[in-house]
Amino acid sequence: MWALASLLLAGPVRAAIPNAMLRGMPSLPKLPLPDRYRFITSPNGTVLPPITTVYYFDQLIDHNNPDLGTFQQRYWMNWEFYEPGGPIILWTPGEDSGDDSMVFATNETINGLIAQQQNGAVIIIEHRFFGYSNPYDNLTSQSLALLTVQQAIDDLEYFAKTADLPMPGGDAVKPGQAPWILSGGSYSGALTSWTMVNKPGLFWAAYASSAVVEAITDYYEYFTPIREHMPQNCSSDVEAVINYLDELYGVNDVAGIQTLKEAFGLGDVVHVDDFASALQINLFDWQDLEPDTGPGAMFFQFCDALEVKNGVSAGPEGWGLENAIKSWGNFWNTTYYDDVCGSEDAETCFGSYNTSQPYWTNVTVNNADRSWWWMVCNQVGSYQVGPPGGQPAIVSRIIQPIYEQRLCVNMFPQAFTYPPQPTTAQINAMYTGWNVNVPRLFFANGLRDPWREATVSADGLNKPDNPSMPIYEGDGFHGSDFFTKNGIVDPTVAVVQEAALRYMKEWLAEWRPSA
């Protein structure tokens, strides 16, 4: 594959997030911008501004009340491959700062591959209330009232229709004058699908990777692909420990729970639900994996710690409960605690009942955790909890939506006096969720993605694939198809990327300017 075989990326940077609820955010891996992209020359020899150049757009504070005025929304742009008549590819990092996302404007990703193939330009636009694109100078509940899915969709429309872009001729490439392609991955992949539904005809085509189109409150299925694809001996032993914890909890064996906590070095964690939440974090490390991830990744270190004893690996059934508690606990004590918590004590790191902690009260901008949690609490849900009884469990059933919803009250006491129910049914009704059916929308998913069950490739959905709205699935993880390097090491990802480029070429050939 001409474009895929020529590029390599550094591995993702692993960010330590002490609070388990945010370890599994539906976001793409963080990849650095290679130095060679900080200075760009177009094919004709023109020196272009660095991709790191920040541009500002006057975005409406409230699309329902334009009289409130505007705020400065940040964006970045790369037009190294652009020729007149080429597409404008618009991508938003979603629930993250744009500062970490500039690589998505390059052909290290599918955005840049499309631009390179079609002589297009790529724009990275920061989502409202993330990074430094904020209507107000704080993230209080009152300010965040304007952080909604629909406002974000309207932002994309207003930008596309009114922005004069900084490249030559950038004032004459609005929809109708040039074909626009909307692109996104994970939450921003869902936003891509939802925008195509809500604003038909605005974007000529779209690419949605690992798009969590179906809003689900009780999202225990997050752990299903992990359990199915992690080493079986590891899942067997994790299940044994989790079942043991749930049994202790079921009979209110306080002493037994305390002994188990102490085995992990977490004896100071006061509440058992916080302890159960801490044990989830090992599973959230799965979301960091890529097709080229080696054995040194934290998830595989975790499984090796449980399953390799005196140089011998356990069979599919694992080593059993006693060894699993000892080995998993030892991994926490020798390796994992420092990685997650650093110098913090266990209750400070994992406790969720002290609402005076700065984590809950900090309202300064550029706090992606707080902004994302507002969306979770109000609209998108996706609480990663234990499964119903009768199903295999690699996370504790102690963790139920009410645990996560209580955290919403912690974070936003001015907005919620009791645990809220996110309006997931309304989101699915407005933007069609799994029932999406719009033309020229390409879906790309991964078999081993923990968010797979919220995508159009969910088990049992059997959504038909058709040339108008293709659905491709490789063997990758979360958003694996977005990155050029993954198509080099995984042929199934290459198939997805090649199909996307083929469809974009066909669809763009059909575009005609409007009157």
Side-chain angles (χ1 to χ4, degrees):
M1 191 174 171
W2 63 270
L4 300 185
S6 62
L7 301 171
L8 290 173
L9 285 174
V13 177
R14 185 174 185 274
I17 302 174
N19 301 78
M21 63 184 184
L22 290 163
R23 289 297 290 245
M25 287 171 66
S27 56
L28 295 175
K30 307 296 185 295
L31 300 177
L33 179 69
D35 288 340
R36 65 181 178 275
Y37 289 108
R38 298 182 186 277
F39 303 96
I40 302 174
T41 302
S42 69
N44 66 9
T46 302
V47 177
L48 303 179
I51 292 179
T52 54
T53 303
V54 183
Y55 303 98
Y56 295 90
F57 173 70
D58 291 331
Q59 183 63 263
L60 294 175
I61 293 173
D62 183 354
H63 294 275
N64 298 317
N65 184 8
D67 291 342
L68 283 180
T70 62
F71 70 96
Q72 290 201 311
Q73 188 171 28
R74 299 196 302 172
Y75 70 99
W76 296 258
M77 190 169 181
N78 178 14
W79 61 91
E80 64 175 311
F81 302 117
Y82 181 75
E83 295 180 9
I88 307 299
I89 301 157
L90 183 63
W91 187 85
T92 177
E95 70 285 34
D96 206 352
S97 166
D99 291 313
D100 300 325
S101 304
M102 285 172 275
V103 71
F104 289 95
T106 75
N107 60 359
E108 305 278 321
T109 68
I110 194 69
N111 295 332
L113 294 180
I114 296 170
Q116 186 170 3
Q117 174 182 273
Q118 302 297 146
N119 303 122
V122 183
I123 299 168
I124 307 299
I125 187 167
E126 195 166 55
H127 196 294
R128 62 168 49 213
F129 287 101
F130 289 88
Y132 292 100
S133 295
N134 292 274
Y136 302 109
D137 63 358
N138 61 71
L139 298 178
T140 63
S141 299
Q142 182 178 2
S143 296
L144 289 169
L146 291 172
L147 174 56
T148 67
V149 168
Q150 189 60 51
Q151 291 280 356
I153 290 173
D154 292 342
D155 284 348
L156 299 176
E157 178 185 38
Y158 191 69
F159 179 88
K161 286 183 174 181
T162 65
D164 290 334
L165 302 178
M167 69 180 186
D171 59 347
V173 289
K174 295 173 178 61
Q177 299 173 307
W180 281 61
I181 298 172
L182 186 59
S183 175
S186 198
Y187 158 65
S188 74
L191 192 64
T192 296
S193 177
W194 297 340
T195 302
M196 294 293 283
V197 170
N198 190 251
K199 307 290 182 183
L202 175 63
F203 295 94
W204 181 249
Y207 182 94
S209 170
S210 293
V212 288
V213 297
E214 183 79 0
I216 302 171
T217 300
D218 186 351
Y219 188 52
Y220 63 87
E221 294 99 334
Y222 177 92
F223 299 101
T224 300
I226 302 175
R227 179 179 53 80
E228 291 176 344
H229 295 285
M230 67 191 288
Q232 189 175 345
N233 52 10
C234 189
S235 64
S236 295
D237 278 339
V238 170
E239 283 183 49
V241 175
I242 294 303
N243 287 336
Y244 179 62
L245 170 60
D246 286 355
E247 288 171 3
L248 295 174
Y249 181 75
V251 298
N252 195 30
D253 187 344
V254 176
I257 291 172
Q258 183 62 30
T259 300
L260 184 60
K261 289 192 292 185
E262 290 172 355
F264 285 79
L266 301 177
D268 292 338
V269 176
V270 175
H271 297 89
V272 65
D273 50 3
D274 289 335
F275 171 62
S277 178
L279 297 188
Q280 286 181 302
I281 300 178
N282 292 112
L283 284 307
F284 286 135
D285 288 335
W286 180 268
Q287 192 169 312
D288 292 339
L289 301 182
E290 292 286 346
D292 64 348
T293 299
M298 187 61 72
F299 187 89
F300 295 129
Q301 290 185 47
F302 156 63
C303 279
D304 284 348
L306 266 67
E307 302 310 324
V308 179
K309 186 166 58 172
N310 299 323
V312 178
S313 295
E317 70 284 351
W319 291 113
L321 177 62
E322 182 177 352
N323 185 79
I325 294 173
K326 179 181 177 181
S327 299
W328 193 355
N330 185 62
F331 180 68
W332 268 82
N333 283 294
T334 61
T335 302
Y336 202 63
Y337 185 93
D338 285 345
D339 184 75
V340 175
C341 297
S343 61
E344 286 186 335
D345 65 86
E347 178 61 16
T348 300
C349 188
F350 299 114
S352 64
Y353 287 82
N354 178 6
T355 57
S356 66
Q357 285 182 307
Y359 182 83
W360 307 112
T361 60
N362 178 16
V363 296
T364 57
V365 299
N366 194 27
N367 183 348
D369 290 2
R370 184 177 182 87
S371 297
W372 176 243
W373 203 241
W374 175 264
M375 300 190 76
V376 166
C377 297
N378 283 282
Q379 292 190 291
V380 301
S382 300
Y383 298 127
Q384 295 124 310
V385 296
Q391 295 191 22
I394 56 173
V395 298
S396 173
R397 294 183 179 89
I398 297 170
I399 304 299
Q400 292 299 311
I402 188 62
Y403 174 80
E404 312 283 10
Q405 290 160 353
R406 177 181 56 80
L407 305 182
C408 297
V409 181
N410 288 4
M411 187 83 81
F412 308 109
Q414 295 81 15
F416 308 120
T417 56
Y418 55 88
Q421 285 287 338
T423 58
T424 51
Q426 181 181 359
I427 290 292
N428 294 329
M430 289 179 64
Y431 309 116
T432 70
W434 283 324
N435 296 318
V436 57
N437 184 22
V438 295
R440 298 183 298 277
L441 171 55
F442 187 97
F443 281 107
N445 295 309
L447 183 65
R448 293 178 284 179
D449 180 5
W451 289 99
R452 180 177 181 269
E453 299 310 299
T455 75
V456 293
S457 295
D459 279 339
L461 186 60
N462 299 319
K463 193 170 182 66
D465 168 47
N466 64 75
S468 176
M469 195 181 77
I471 302 171
Y472 275 71
E473 183 179 56
D475 290 340
F477 297 89
H478 191 57
S480 296
D481 52 275
F482 234 107
F483 302 105
T484 303
K485 57 136 185 171
N486 291 332
I488 299 172
V489 299
D490 187 333
T492 69
V493 174
V495 168
V496 176
Q497 293 171 334
E498 290 165 351
L501 292 172
R502 183 174 66 252
Y503 274 104
M504 291 299 165
K505 184 176 183 178
E506 293 175 4
W507 292 339
L508 288 168
E510 299 168 359
W511 180 85
R512 298 292 182 272
S514 60

